[in-house]
């Protein structure tokens, strides 16, 4: 079950709740009982290499651009 992070606007505490995705936007009371809370945006860490392949030298041939891969001439 995913964990969501919330902040209480009344006391300033930050807390997490485990709840189904369907309930991610539902109101959440802080542990101190305050109802004025806001869901925080979370960053996701993904493992792996951060390097990307280098573009081909010469600039010819590989698709893309304004013509959907054709030569714009």
């Amino acid at each position: 079950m995913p964990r969501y992070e919330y902040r209480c606007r009344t006391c300033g505490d930050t807390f997490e709740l485990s709840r189904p995705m369907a309930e991610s936007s539902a109101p959440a009371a802080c542990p101190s009982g305050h109802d004025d809370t806001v869901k925080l945006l979370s960053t996701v860490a993904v493992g792996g290499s951060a390097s990307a392949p280098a573009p081909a030298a010469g600039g010819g041939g590989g698709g893309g651009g304004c013509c959907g891969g054709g030569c714009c001439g």
Side-chain angles (χ1 to χ4, degrees):
M1 191 171 318
R3 294 184 62 81
Y4 298 96
E5 190 173 20
Y6 298 85
R7 179 175 302 146
C8 178
R9 292 181 181 173
T10 304
C11 65
D13 285 345
T14 301
F15 60 97
E16 292 184 352
L17 290 177
S18 294
R19 50 180 20 182
M21 281 195 246
E23 296 177 16
S24 68
S25 296
C30 86
S32 298
H34 305 120
D35 291 326
D36 189 12
T37 60
V38 62
K39 185 175 133 186
L40 302 176
L41 295 176
S42 301
T43 57
V44 177
V46 179
S49 174
S51 63
C66 63
C67 299
C71 181
C72 294

